[in-house]
Amino acid sequence: MSQLLCKRWSRLVTSLRTANCGKRVQLSALTFSTSSAERDSPSRSSPPPIRVGFTESAGRGVFATRAIGAGDLIHTAKPFLSHPPPSVIHTVCYFCLRKLRNSSQPEDAGVSFCSEECKERSKFYDVEMKANWMAFDDYCRTHGLKYPFLVKRLACMIISGVASVDSLDILQPASLTPEMIFELEEGFALFRNAFTKTLIADEDIAFLSKQWYISVLARIRINAFRVELAGVLYEDLLSSAVASVEAEAAVGNAVYILPSFYNHDCDPNAHMIWIDNADAKLKALRNVEEGEELRICYIDASLDRYARQELLLQGFGFQCICNRCLQGD
């Protein structure tokens, strides 16, 4: 999702909150453009049939503006922010997370890009290379942390001028306990120290406060998606309404703007899939009526009710009251 669209949403939501003093309102329908390939396809001749609005009980949500058929591609979304985990950092593109054809390079060879286009779009990497990340990266690996890597990338994007400090402010943050915040302080110290020891101007890193670091992590914590590349053909996925697909492996984590507005349901009517890189595709799992809310499942839908409730409460901070959970399934 582009930075421009993110800013537009920030201004829209801010104006709505100011004008309505916290009252629940309905956002007007917005149209999201499709890729040229989708526009040229006879079956995808119209814009995505969705709008974003407020729900009765779950905050913002995504709604169908017309009937959508099972298996239909609803829309696509590029990640605003993505990063591969340390375990696969030498086998996937450092920008788009596409698997590299030649992934047998030594660990000290640095990162790689799948194309010149991805390399050119990685303006953040020039900033990242100016700092020594050894202590910070080792800390994250030792503690099994994945989201601080996304914060590091966002900070480099901001310094390089391709993102703004408030880029993720539109996303819902997680509720952090004092204990959780305390645990973040050591990581922040290493994070900040990596930047202060570079030749980057002080004014360019003035935004790197503990408050900003924790605020961004709180949003990434419940809005990041685990990217798993599907092991089947794109055409097979579009013709199938199966809730889950066979995946080759997780290639990283990513944050999206519009897909983050989709609410959870343990019996979802939509699903998010990845084919060969971090570009997400939202598809309908069954027929959806006009005006119906589109929902995805944040966790493994095959788990029993108790396991689902525990994961959603601990990982996302809410108790699920979808029909499936209320019926005890």
Side-chain angles (χ1 to χ4, degrees), residues 40 85-86 144 156 164 187 196 218 279 284 311 318:
D40 294 339
C156 293
S164 61
T196 54
D279 291 354
L311 282 176
F318 69 88

Side-chain angles (χ1 to χ4, degrees), residues 26-324:
Q26 290 293 327
L27 294 181
S28 59
L30 289 183
T31 297
F32 299 89
S33 61
T34 58
S35 67
S36 58
E38 291 169 344
R39 286 196 300 268
D40 294 339
S41 172
S43 61
R44 308 307 312 166
S45 58
S46 59
I50 56 175
R51 67 176 178 85
V52 176
F54 285 110
T55 68
E56 292 289 342
S57 60
R60 293 170 300 197
V62 179
F63 299 84
T65 58
R66 61 167 173 79
I68 303 174
D72 280 358
L73 177 64
I74 303 169
H75 70 89
T76 61
K78 289 186 175 296
F80 180 81
L81 189 64
S82 63
H83 198 284
S87 59
V88 301
I89 203 167
H90 300 291
T91 64
V92 301
C93 176
Y94 201 52
F95 181 78
C96 76
L97 306 185
R98 185 190 304 272
K99 287 195 172 183
L100 301 174
R101 293 183 178 179
N102 182 12
S103 57
S104 59
Q105 59 180 335
E107 292 189 1
D108 59 352
V111 302
S112 298
F113 301 93
C114 67
S115 65
E116 284 300 318
E117 179 183 1
C118 282
K119 187 175 182 179
E120 291 175 1
R121 295 176 65 185
S122 302
K123 296 182 179 179
F124 61 84
Y125 189 57
D126 291 336
V127 175
E128 184 178 325
M129 290 297 292
K130 294 179 180 179
N132 183 347
W133 294 101
M134 184 177 296
F136 178 78
D137 290 353
D138 286 346
Y139 173 81
C140 292
R141 292 189 187 97
T142 302
H143 291 77
L145 305 176
K146 51 188 177 181
Y147 298 140
F149 290 115
L150 289 168
V151 182
K152 177 177 75 172
R153 175 158 299 186
L154 177 59
C156 293
M157 290 169 62
I158 293 170
I159 295 170
S160 64
V162 298
S164 61
V165 175
D166 60 353
S167 294
L168 299 186
D169 285 2
I170 192 173
L171 302 182
Q172 179 74 18
S175 297
L176 302 178
T177 65
E179 292 76 16
M180 295 169 67
I181 294 175
F182 178 77
E183 292 177 356
L184 297 177
E185 292 184 353
E186 184 178 359
F188 169 73
L190 296 172
F191 173 80
R192 174 77 186 189
N193 190 51
F195 280 108
T196 54
K197 288 187 175 182
T198 67
L199 298 178
I200 300 174
D202 291 342
E203 57 267 26
D204 292 335
I205 59 175
F207 70 93
L208 295 176
S209 66
K210 185 188 301 183
Q211 180 181 1
W212 179 86
Y213 181 83
I214 293 175
S215 174
V216 169
L217 268 178
R219 285 168 169 77
I220 291 176
R221 178 182 171 85
I222 61 172
N223 288 287
F225 289 84
R226 174 185 168 97
V227 179
E228 295 184 342
L229 303 186
V232 293
L233 295 175
Y234 175 72
E235 291 78 8
D236 295 335
L237 287 170
L238 292 185
S239 62
S240 172
V242 179
S244 60
V245 295
E246 187 70 24
E248 294 178 1
V251 294
N253 298 283
V255 176
Y256 305 80
I257 302 303
L258 178 57
S260 292
F261 294 163
Y262 281 73
N263 287 315
H264 165 83
D265 198 300
C266 293
D267 184 21
N269 58 9
H271 186 57
M272 194 166 176
I273 56 176
W274 297 267
I275 308 302
D276 55 6
N277 60 21
D279 291 354
K281 300 180 186 300
L282 278 295
K283 64 187 290 283
L285 293 174
R286 57 175 179 266
N287 293 334
V288 178
E289 298 179 358
E290 179 180 350
E292 183 179 349
E293 184 181 0
L294 291 159
R295 292 194 169 214
I296 60 177
C297 188
Y298 295 173
I299 57 175
D300 183 353
S302 66
L303 296 172
D304 61 38
R305 180 181 180 277
Y306 176 79
R308 298 198 311 272
Q309 290 281 340
E310 283 293 306
L311 282 176
L312 291 170
L313 185 60
Q314 295 178 13
F316 298 90
F318 69 88
Q319 183 176 10
C320 184
I321 55 173
C322 71
N323 289 334
R324 183 182 172 191

